[in-house]
Amino acid sequence: MWEDSNMIHQDLQEALNSQINQELTAAYNYLGMATYFDAQNLDGFANWMYRQHDEEQAHAMKLLRYLQDRGGHVELESIGSPRSEFANPMEIFKISLVQEQKNTASINELYALATRLNDYATKSHLQWFIDEQVEEEKSVEDIIALLERIDDDAAGLLYLNDKLGARSAEEEEA
Ligand code: FEO
């Protein structure tokens, strides 16, 4: 029987499906955070979170299409309800940072698995995600640093709100 030598390994298929779920969960979590900021009338923060939601969805789609291109089977799993109540912006960005760090760790594990299985195409595809995670963590860390400086200063918070409101879809694609 003819076998496609390029067929993706079962373990990698499972790990990619799990990563797709993780990206979609992250998207949903950011959406919950966006609605919190909207309710607080912090539309710039909300804008940043809506963009973040869109980005995570795009990450999931990138992996999903890749898995399909490799003849793999996509299995969509359930996603839990996101939180939409928080104490303050700082809490939200700290949660976001932990989420991004976990995502970096799981992308790295995926890469290590692809390396063990000598799957060069998957390694190549994952390289983009490895680079992206550096940016993702840095952007959240930068906002945390600004929030620390702002502390309880309302003018500072509104300044940051304006700044985050300027994040656009075009900027992401640049
Ligand atoms: Fe899809 Fe925030 O990593």
PDB file of all heavy atoms in Angstrom, residues 23 26 30 52 55-56 59 100 103 129 132-133 136, ligand 1:
ATOM      1  N   GLU A  23      -4.665  28.346  21.548  1.00  0.00           N
ATOM      2  CA  GLU A  23      -4.737  29.668  20.898  1.00  0.00           C
ATOM      3  C   GLU A  23      -6.178  30.199  20.946  1.00  0.00           C
ATOM      4  O   GLU A  23      -6.399  31.386  21.188  1.00  0.00           O
ATOM      5  CB  GLU A  23      -4.267  29.587  19.440  1.00  0.00           C
ATOM      6  CG  GLU A  23      -2.846  29.077  19.235  1.00  0.00           C
ATOM      7  CD  GLU A  23      -1.754  30.076  19.617  1.00  0.00           C
ATOM      8  OE1 GLU A  23      -2.069  31.246  19.891  1.00  0.00           O
ATOM      9  OE2 GLU A  23      -0.577  29.672  19.643  1.00  0.00           O
ATOM     10  N   ALA A  26      -6.936  31.307  24.432  1.00  0.00           N
ATOM     11  CA  ALA A  26      -6.314  32.617  24.673  1.00  0.00           C
ATOM     12  C   ALA A  26      -7.162  33.716  24.029  1.00  0.00           C
ATOM     13  O   ALA A  26      -7.409  34.768  24.633  1.00  0.00           O
ATOM     14  CB  ALA A  26      -4.889  32.633  24.120  1.00  0.00           C
ATOM     15  N   TYR A  30      -8.890  36.811  26.018  1.00  0.00           N
ATOM     16  CA  TYR A  30      -8.687  38.225  25.680  1.00  0.00           C
ATOM     17  C   TYR A  30     -10.021  38.921  25.385  1.00  0.00           C
ATOM     18  O   TYR A  30     -10.190  40.103  25.678  1.00  0.00           O
ATOM     19  CB  TYR A  30      -7.733  38.366  24.490  1.00  0.00           C
ATOM     20  CG  TYR A  30      -6.274  38.151  24.865  1.00  0.00           C
ATOM     21  CD1 TYR A  30      -5.469  37.242  24.197  1.00  0.00           C
ATOM     22  CD2 TYR A  30      -5.684  38.889  25.898  1.00  0.00           C
ATOM     23  CE1 TYR A  30      -4.133  37.049  24.550  1.00  0.00           C
ATOM     24  CE2 TYR A  30      -4.358  38.701  26.256  1.00  0.00           C
ATOM     25  CZ  TYR A  30      -3.584  37.777  25.573  1.00  0.00           C
ATOM     26  OH  TYR A  30      -2.268  37.593  25.926  1.00  0.00           O
ATOM     27  N   GLN A  52      -5.897  41.751  20.267  1.00  0.00           N
ATOM     28  CA  GLN A  52      -5.196  40.576  20.780  1.00  0.00           C
ATOM     29  C   GLN A  52      -6.041  39.317  20.520  1.00  0.00           C
ATOM     30  O   GLN A  52      -5.509  38.279  20.119  1.00  0.00           O
ATOM     31  CB  GLN A  52      -4.941  40.775  22.282  1.00  0.00           C
ATOM     32  CG  GLN A  52      -3.866  39.877  22.854  1.00  0.00           C
ATOM     33  CD  GLN A  52      -2.461  40.183  22.339  1.00  0.00           C
ATOM     34  OE1 GLN A  52      -2.227  41.188  21.676  1.00  0.00           O
ATOM     35  NE2 GLN A  52      -1.543  39.294  22.625  1.00  0.00           N
ATOM     36  N   GLU A  55      -5.697  38.415  16.932  1.00  0.00           N
ATOM     37  CA  GLU A  55      -4.379  37.811  16.671  1.00  0.00           C
ATOM     38  C   GLU A  55      -4.361  36.341  17.065  1.00  0.00           C
ATOM     39  O   GLU A  55      -3.843  35.493  16.348  1.00  0.00           O
ATOM     40  CB  GLU A  55      -3.286  38.527  17.487  1.00  0.00           C
ATOM     41  CG  GLU A  55      -2.625  39.635  16.737  1.00  0.00           C
ATOM     42  CD  GLU A  55      -1.232  39.930  17.285  1.00  0.00           C
ATOM     43  OE1 GLU A  55      -0.672  39.119  18.048  1.00  0.00           O
ATOM     44  OE2 GLU A  55      -0.708  40.983  16.949  1.00  0.00           O
ATOM     45  N   GLU A  56      -4.903  36.053  18.245  1.00  0.00           N
ATOM     46  CA  GLU A  56      -4.901  34.660  18.716  1.00  0.00           C
ATOM     47  C   GLU A  56      -5.742  33.773  17.803  1.00  0.00           C
ATOM     48  O   GLU A  56      -5.381  32.624  17.546  1.00  0.00           O
ATOM     49  CB  GLU A  56      -5.407  34.560  20.159  1.00  0.00           C
ATOM     50  CG  GLU A  56      -4.582  35.308  21.185  1.00  0.00           C
ATOM     51  CD  GLU A  56      -3.130  34.849  21.280  1.00  0.00           C
ATOM     52  OE1 GLU A  56      -2.736  33.886  20.622  1.00  0.00           O
ATOM     53  OE2 GLU A  56      -2.376  35.491  22.022  1.00  0.00           O
ATOM     54  N   HIS A  59      -3.679  33.014  14.919  1.00  0.00           N
ATOM     55  CA  HIS A  59      -2.674  31.987  15.232  1.00  0.00           C
ATOM     56  C   HIS A  59      -3.305  30.592  15.136  1.00  0.00           C
ATOM     57  O   HIS A  59      -2.708  29.663  14.595  1.00  0.00           O
ATOM     58  CB  HIS A  59      -2.109  32.174  16.656  1.00  0.00           C
ATOM     59  CG  HIS A  59      -1.355  33.458  16.834  1.00  0.00           C
ATOM     60  ND1 HIS A  59      -0.932  33.911  18.061  1.00  0.00           N
ATOM     61  CD2 HIS A  59      -0.941  34.381  15.928  1.00  0.00           C
ATOM     62  CE1 HIS A  59      -0.296  35.064  17.901  1.00  0.00           C
ATOM     63  NE2 HIS A  59      -0.298  35.369  16.622  1.00  0.00           N
ATOM     64  N   GLU A 100       0.745  34.176  28.122  1.00  0.00           N
ATOM     65  CA  GLU A 100       1.718  34.201  27.020  1.00  0.00           C
ATOM     66  C   GLU A 100       2.942  33.338  27.334  1.00  0.00           C
ATOM     67  O   GLU A 100       3.480  32.672  26.443  1.00  0.00           O
ATOM     68  CB  GLU A 100       2.148  35.637  26.705  1.00  0.00           C
ATOM     69  CG  GLU A 100       1.074  36.488  26.063  1.00  0.00           C
ATOM     70  CD  GLU A 100       0.504  35.897  24.772  1.00  0.00           C
ATOM     71  OE1 GLU A 100       1.195  35.123  24.091  1.00  0.00           O
ATOM     72  OE2 GLU A 100      -0.661  36.178  24.465  1.00  0.00           O
ATOM     73  N   ASN A 103       2.073  29.872  26.741  1.00  0.00           N
ATOM     74  CA  ASN A 103       1.995  29.628  25.306  1.00  0.00           C
ATOM     75  C   ASN A 103       3.389  29.464  24.701  1.00  0.00           C
ATOM     76  O   ASN A 103       3.612  28.593  23.865  1.00  0.00           O
ATOM     77  CB  ASN A 103       1.242  30.770  24.630  1.00  0.00           C
ATOM     78  CG  ASN A 103       0.536  30.294  23.388  1.00  0.00           C
ATOM     79  OD1 ASN A 103       0.106  29.147  23.322  1.00  0.00           O
ATOM     80  ND2 ASN A 103       0.448  31.142  22.392  1.00  0.00           N
ATOM     81  N   PHE A 129       6.055  31.171  14.986  1.00  0.00           N
ATOM     82  CA  PHE A 129       5.401  31.287  16.299  1.00  0.00           C
ATOM     83  C   PHE A 129       6.431  31.588  17.399  1.00  0.00           C
ATOM     84  O   PHE A 129       6.140  32.318  18.340  1.00  0.00           O
ATOM     85  CB  PHE A 129       4.643  29.989  16.637  1.00  0.00           C
ATOM     86  CG  PHE A 129       3.359  29.846  15.873  1.00  0.00           C
ATOM     87  CD1 PHE A 129       3.339  29.275  14.605  1.00  0.00           C
ATOM     88  CD2 PHE A 129       2.160  30.300  16.399  1.00  0.00           C
ATOM     89  CE1 PHE A 129       2.151  29.159  13.890  1.00  0.00           C
ATOM     90  CE2 PHE A 129       0.967  30.186  15.701  1.00  0.00           C
ATOM     91  CZ  PHE A 129       0.970  29.614  14.437  1.00  0.00           C
ATOM     92  N   GLU A 132       7.158  35.193  17.118  1.00  0.00           N
ATOM     93  CA  GLU A 132       5.960  35.944  17.523  1.00  0.00           C
ATOM     94  C   GLU A 132       5.835  35.991  19.048  1.00  0.00           C
ATOM     95  O   GLU A 132       5.464  37.020  19.618  1.00  0.00           O
ATOM     96  CB  GLU A 132       4.725  35.278  16.882  1.00  0.00           C
ATOM     97  CG  GLU A 132       3.376  35.811  17.345  1.00  0.00           C
ATOM     98  CD  GLU A 132       3.041  37.184  16.784  1.00  0.00           C
ATOM     99  OE1 GLU A 132       3.849  37.727  15.997  1.00  0.00           O
ATOM    100  OE2 GLU A 132       1.981  37.719  17.166  1.00  0.00           O
ATOM    101  N   GLN A 133       6.142  34.872  19.708  1.00  0.00           N
ATOM    102  CA  GLN A 133       6.006  34.834  21.169  1.00  0.00           C
ATOM    103  C   GLN A 133       6.935  35.837  21.867  1.00  0.00           C
ATOM    104  O   GLN A 133       6.586  36.390  22.918  1.00  0.00           O
ATOM    105  CB  GLN A 133       6.239  33.417  21.710  1.00  0.00           C
ATOM    106  CG  GLN A 133       5.030  32.505  21.579  1.00  0.00           C
ATOM    107  CD  GLN A 133       3.750  33.096  22.127  1.00  0.00           C
ATOM    108  OE1 GLN A 133       2.791  33.278  21.378  1.00  0.00           O
ATOM    109  NE2 GLN A 133       3.694  33.449  23.406  1.00  0.00           N
ATOM    110  N   GLU A 136       5.029  38.962  21.641  1.00  0.00           N
ATOM    111  CA  GLU A 136       3.819  38.905  22.463  1.00  0.00           C
ATOM    112  C   GLU A 136       4.159  39.162  23.939  1.00  0.00           C
ATOM    113  O   GLU A 136       3.497  39.950  24.610  1.00  0.00           O
ATOM    114  CB  GLU A 136       3.147  37.536  22.336  1.00  0.00           C
ATOM    115  CG  GLU A 136       2.590  37.244  20.962  1.00  0.00           C
ATOM    116  CD  GLU A 136       1.124  37.589  20.825  1.00  0.00           C
ATOM    117  OE1 GLU A 136       0.278  36.806  21.256  1.00  0.00           O
ATOM    118  OE2 GLU A 136       0.850  38.675  20.277  1.00  0.00           O
TER     119      GLU A 136
HETATM  120 FE1  FEO B   1      -0.874  33.009  20.050  1.00  0.00          FE
HETATM  121 FE2  FEO B   1      -0.340  35.078  22.297  1.00  0.00          FE
HETATM  122  O1  FEO B   1       0.189  33.637  21.339  1.00  0.00           O
END
